[in-house]
């Protein structure tokens, strides 16, 4: 199956750049990774958020079909890792949209926001209000850190400044979701579930791995890890690879210390690719230039954001194994002669880009073999840190995977599935529903199918647990 041309075209229309300031402070990454070890184990963190954690409603608006409650809570992450959140993001705002009259029970679904989904209008209009009309189900819309009311003053639009910001966002949403689920239980709402589209689906999935009870989950247009999104998907072209490479080259702490904190060692772990990189690098160095023992100073000369073509040329085959555990391809030589991902070309052929990259590195005075290695190491490091904080195999399996319905687009260019473990392998018993088309077309035209999956997941919960 190929990738959606609409996805590729739509990405080209957007000017948003990601991670413009780089990886984030090394000390912040260390704190995040240590905390990930706790929230990745449901038993270790079951008491992190008290069942009576305070949640406040400060405004209520009556409308013809619903009541809209505006509320807030202080993010539990601020208490657990003080100062890791920007000041604007400490106060977590939400909208709670309930029907004027309940039909049966009082079901509530928490919706987490996707990339670029600021404030509440989009989720309220496309999901929450139709859900009240169709089934009388209430929705709670939580504002992501770094978005809407919680956006730092110096952040432009949805452009997260650092890679670490994404991980801070995830940690905050896991804990905030737990606080809201406890609050909804205290208020007598039942059953409770979670959903999200794109990045919101990832975040909802992470939150559910942490919840100690069976709960319906419907992640839409997301998959098992965000690593492929930023290394092989169309969003990889929005990443500020130039700054990431520069920081990785000049600061040894990323390579020498932070890598040691990365624990995920599954069949698609970046650590497998590291061995291939080192082996190929030693062959290149023996021919062209001995590897320097000092860090490299990288020029600020503009580089193509695709970093050696790897972002579009199936770099995941370098870093991963296939589902049977066999090495994909024959190492870097195979990769450099390959120009497609999942059987379809995504853009600039890697040999063309690498030739341009070699010319630039000659002008910069950096040995081409070292520059090529730096590009690969930066992508490998990105995969490693992304898998550490977002790979579902690095977190507990939800209590009842049969309550999970995953909705995925067959030709999704934003969420590559090739080369990474699938959710059915990580969560045995979950259901995957595939839609025709890509990420953008599914978001624009298939919202009704997302809602139907939510209703079906809640029905399964009621069938299994209504008498418990």
């Amino acid at each position: 199956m190929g990738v959606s041309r609409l996805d590729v075209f739509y990405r080209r229309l957007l000017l948003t750049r990601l991670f413009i300031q780089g990886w984030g402070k090394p000390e912040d990454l260390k704190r995040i990774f240590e905390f990930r070890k706790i929230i990745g184990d449901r038993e270790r963190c079951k008491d992190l958020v008290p069942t009576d954690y305070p949640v406040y409603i400060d405004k209520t608006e009556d409308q013809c079909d619903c009541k809209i409650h505006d509320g807030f809570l202080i993010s539990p992450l601020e208490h657990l890792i003080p100062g890791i959140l920007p000041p604007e993001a400490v106060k977590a705002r939400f909208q709670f949209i309930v029907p004027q009259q309940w039909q049966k029970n009082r079901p509530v679904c928490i919706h987490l926001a996707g990339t670029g989904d600021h404030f509440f209008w989009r989720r309220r209009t496309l999901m929450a209000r139709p859900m009240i009309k169709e089934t009388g189900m209430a929705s709670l819309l939580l504002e992501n850190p770094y978005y809407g009311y919680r956006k730092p003053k110096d952040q432009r639009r949805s452009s997260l400044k650092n890679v670490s910001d994404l991980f801070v966002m995830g940690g905050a949403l896991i804990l905030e979701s737990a606080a809201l689920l406890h609050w909804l239980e205290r208020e007598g709402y039942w059953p409770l579930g979670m959903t999200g589209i794109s990045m919101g689906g990832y975040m909802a999935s992470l939150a559910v791995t942490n919840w100690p009870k069976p709960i319906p989950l419907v992640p839409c247009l997301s998959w098992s890890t965000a690593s492929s999104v930023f290394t092989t998907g169309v969003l990889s072209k929005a990443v500020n690879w130039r700054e990431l490479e520069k920081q990785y080259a000049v600061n040894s702490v990323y390579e020498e210390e932070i890598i040691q904190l990365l624990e995920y060692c599954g069949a698609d772990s970046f650590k497998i690719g590291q061995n291939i990189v080192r082996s190929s690098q030693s062959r290149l160095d023996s021919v062209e230039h001995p590897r320097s023992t000092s860090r490299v100073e990288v020029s600020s000369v503009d580089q193509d954001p695709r970093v050696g073509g790897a972002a579009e040329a199936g770099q995941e085959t370098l870093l991963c194994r296939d589902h049977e555990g066999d090495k994909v391809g024959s190492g870097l030589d195979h990769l450099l002669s390959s120009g497609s991902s999942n059987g379809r070309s995504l853009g600039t052929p890697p040999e063309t880009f690498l030739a341009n990259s070699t010319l630039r590195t000659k002008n910069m005075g950096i040995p081409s073999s070292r520059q090529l290695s730096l590009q690969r190491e930066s992508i490998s490091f990105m995969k490693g840190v992304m898998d550490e904080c977002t790979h579902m195999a690095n977190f507990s399996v939800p209590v009842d995977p049969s309550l999970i319905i995953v909705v995925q687009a067959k030709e999704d260019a934003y969420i590559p599935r090739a080369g990474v473990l699938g959710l059915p392998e990580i969560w045995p018993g979950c259901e995957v529903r595939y839609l025709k088309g890509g990420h953008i077309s599914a978001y624009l035209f298939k919202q009704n199918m997302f809602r139907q999956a939510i209703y079906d997941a809640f029905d399964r919960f009621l069938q299994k647990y209504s008498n418990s």
Side-chain angles (χ1 to χ4, degrees), residues 360-391:
R360 279 193 292 270
T361 56
K362 286 182 179 179
N363 293 334
M364 294 161 58
I366 299 175
S368 59
S369 62
R370 175 56 187 142
Q371 180 65 16
L372 182 59
S373 172
L374 178 60
Q375 294 169 346
R376 290 165 174 159
E377 289 172 17
S378 298
I379 292 178
S380 181
F381 185 69
M382 174 70 88
K383 177 170 173 55
V385 296
M386 284 288 171
D387 280 343
E388 177 67 20
C389 291
T390 71
H391 203 303

Side-chain angles (χ1 to χ4, degrees), residues 61-68 97-101 129 132-133:
E61 179 183 351
D62 268 308
Q63 300 202 357
C64 60
D65 58 339
C66 65
K67 295 181 180 180
I68 300 178
I97 304 168
V98 302
Q100 288 286 2
Q101 292 185 334
R129 298 192 79 147
I132 284 179
K133 181 178 180 180

Side-chain angles (χ1 to χ4, degrees), residues 279-297:
S279 174
S280 296
Q281 177 60 39
S282 64
R283 293 199 303 271
L284 287 168
D285 286 349
S286 65
V287 173
E288 184 167 353
H289 196 283
R291 183 184 177 111
S292 172
T293 56
S294 61
R295 306 302 293 177
V296 175
E297 191 70 38

